Amino acid sequence: MNLEELKSVVERIRAETQTHLGQLSSLERVQELEARILGRKGRLTELLSTITTFPKEQRGQVGQMLNVAKNELTEWIEDCRQRLQKSEAMIDRQSAAGIDPTFPGIVRGFGSIHPVTAVQWKIEEVFERLGFTVEAGPEMENDYYNFETLNIPAWHPARDMQDTFWLDNGLLLRTHTSPVQVRAMEKYGPPLRCIVPGRCFRYETIDASHENTFFQCEGLMIDKNISIANLIAVMKLLLREVFHRDVMIRLRPGYFPFVEPGFELDMRCMICGGTGCSTCKQSGWVEILPCGMVHPNVLRFGGIDPHEFTGFAFGLGLTRLAMMKYGVRDIRLMNSGDLRGLVHAERMCGNIIGKS
Ligand code: DAH
């Protein structure tokens, strides 16, 4: 081996040692590495024994180069040894204190599906199985579809039931998803089955159970011979699918100008189990689903002959249903963007997509 070759061998040993040291995680391995480089039969030790094979005038230089390398490698190995000694001592201390630092940490998810979206997807899935289409309508609606076609003329006191955000352009923010009823009738004609999940707005004072922005899901089924029995069967199926169990419900007569007869479907409050809480206004029941048989006037507005066809409609409170399902007590949490609220919702929902 000549001087140049020796230099490159030394350089390779330095580089390899440096790489290995960075990867070692136990003192035992450091010991082994040290033996391989600096031990009696180590690579550097063997190079030192080749000094005498070099011409006399080069031996000084060779010796000096190998010594420098030896000191350097010894120092690196020692540094590595000390680093590992420190961390092993720390691990000993931790395990004496009952801490296992090798135990995998808590993995945080990167966000979750909003509870309202999760419930919406579930409802869409159930209704699609029943042959319903999923429709959408404008959030900025006109008086005609939001009120007029729903049998609520301008003079009707029912307009006051839904405090409305009127816009400067003469339109309004839809107060419910019901305007899509007549839009769908116009679009498809009878027979017709659809649901309309969507955002609605009311000029409301906000509290634990009222929001000015919330989600509903309208439902509409029109055919020959549709009766209240169909309505009840579909509503029961829906709630059973959403809650994965039979839910206690009650029907009360309810007034809505666009259905006749009209009902309020209540379900047992799942937050308190019926004992009373702020969500159910201490009543033990939550209004979840106003519904009824589509009023003949509404069918006429949609161009459908009420003597030939009948239908049922419902207006599910999606936001409220999501609160029930996931045990969210305050509706303000749903739109707040408050990360504590979102974390809360995430905890309540778990892995929604996988579960439902
Ligand atoms: N649109 C009504 C509201 O927001 C809810 C409603 C009641 C919808 C009865 C319906 C229905 O389809 O049949 O207050």
Side-chain angles (χ1 to χ4, degrees):
M1 174 156 41
N2 63 32
L3 194 57
E4 280 315 305
E5 287 165 348
L6 180 73
K7 269 186 193 161
S8 76
V9 172
V10 170
E11 197 39 56
R12 200 172 334 124
I13 293 174
R14 284 177 80 248
E16 284 174 12
T17 308
Q18 200 164 31
T19 310
H20 283 145
L21 283 172
Q23 294 162 348
L24 294 183
S25 58
S26 81
L27 288 168
E28 241 181 328
R29 297 272 168 279
V30 178
Q31 192 79 27
E32 282 167 19
L33 182 75
E34 186 175 33
R36 277 206 308 278
I37 310 290
L38 303 170
R40 236 173 349 115
K41 293 205 162 152
R43 287 165 75 188
L44 201 78
T45 316
E46 289 195 333
L47 288 181
L48 279 162
S49 68
T50 63
I51 291 183
T52 49
T53 65
F54 283 86
K56 270 211 177 86
E57 64 279 10
Q58 288 183 351
R59 286 184 197 164
Q61 201 185 344
V62 169
Q64 196 191 9
M65 180 173 72
L66 291 175
N67 269 327
V68 168
K70 185 179 170 184
N71 290 339
E72 195 175 34
L73 291 170
T74 308
E75 201 175 304
W76 288 351
I77 288 170
E78 199 46 39
D79 280 353
C80 179
R81 180 176 282 123
Q82 280 180 15
R83 182 167 50 80
L84 288 175
Q85 267 165 353
K86 266 193 208 147
S87 77
E88 284 192 5
M90 189 161 79
I91 290 171
D92 284 348
R93 271 203 309 281
Q94 284 169 333
S95 60
I99 298 167
D100 178 0
T102 64
F103 197 77
I106 297 166
V107 180
R108 294 285 308 158
F110 289 102
S112 62
I113 302 302
H114 192 283
V116 171
T117 309
V119 171
Q120 179 184 327
W121 287 353
K122 180 71 196 173
I123 289 170
E124 288 176 5
E125 179 203 310
V126 174
F127 278 99
E128 274 170 350
R129 274 202 324 257
L130 299 177
F132 284 62
T133 59
V134 179
E135 302 298 324
E139 291 179 352
M140 196 164 62
E141 197 35 290
N142 57 33
D143 186 289
Y144 180 71
Y145 287 109
N146 198 82
F147 293 122
E148 206 69 33
T149 60
L150 291 168
N151 205 24
I152 316 174
W155 51 265
H156 202 291
R159 289 216 175 189
D160 300 338
M161 284 162 63
Q162 302 188 353
D163 293 316
T164 309
F165 285 115
W166 293 94
L167 306 175
D168 289 344
N169 60 7
L171 298 176
L172 53 89
L173 294 182
R174 70 175 173 197
T175 54
H176 47 182
T177 42
S178 304
V180 189
Q181 284 192 23
V182 167
R183 285 183 178 276
M185 291 178 206
E186 288 172 348
K187 185 170 167 193
Y188 297 111
L192 158 66
R193 296 174 192 195
C194 68
I195 57 165
V196 188
R199 197 193 322 254
C200 308
F201 310 85
R202 301 243 177 123
Y203 193 8
E204 292 255 15
T205 309
I206 296 174
D207 63 28
S209 48
H210 294 89
E211 247 290 2
N212 55 26
T213 305
F214 54 94
F215 285 79
Q216 287 188 343
C217 181
E218 196 75 10
L220 183 65
M221 180 169 181
I222 296 173
D223 208 331
K224 293 186 171 158
N225 300 321
I226 295 293
S227 71
I228 297 174
N230 300 114
L231 167 66
I232 293 174
V234 172
M235 294 303 99
K236 277 195 168 164
L237 171 80
L238 169 67
L239 292 175
R240 197 181 325 123
E241 290 277 342
V242 169
F243 290 99
H244 303 292
R245 64 184 130 138
D246 283 323
V247 176
M248 211 202 267
I249 60 167
R250 68 177 187 187
L251 268 180
R252 288 178 288 122
Y255 175 68
F256 303 94
F258 34 94
V259 279
E260 183 56 40
F263 307 104
E264 280 291 359
L265 192 150
D266 298 343
M267 60 178 275
R268 258 280 182 242
C269 179
M270 291 217 166
I271 305 267
C272 62
T275 54
C277 66
S278 65
T279 304
C280 63
K281 296 194 203 106
Q282 313 305 329
S283 72
W285 293 94
V286 186
E287 272 180 34
I288 206 89
L289 222 165
C291 51
M293 300 304 292
V294 181
H295 196 289
N297 287 350
V298 179
L299 290 171
R300 276 191 210 101
F301 269 115
I304 296 174
D305 181 357
H307 297 294
E308 200 183 346
F309 289 96
T310 50
F312 69 73
F314 62 87
L316 182 73
L318 260 192
T319 302
R320 203 159 286 182
L321 190 66
M323 288 171 71
M324 282 286 115
K325 179 162 168 139
Y326 298 113
V328 179
R329 283 167 188 274
D330 193 322
I331 196 169
R332 289 167 289 197
L333 218 56
M334 305 301 260
N335 291 347
S336 67
D338 182 331
L339 286 180
R340 288 169 304 173
L342 295 178
V343 169
H344 174 73
E346 181 190 325
R347 216 183 298 129
M348 301 312 297
C349 305
N351 178 5
I352 283 171
I353 302 178
K355 258 190 219 157
S356 57

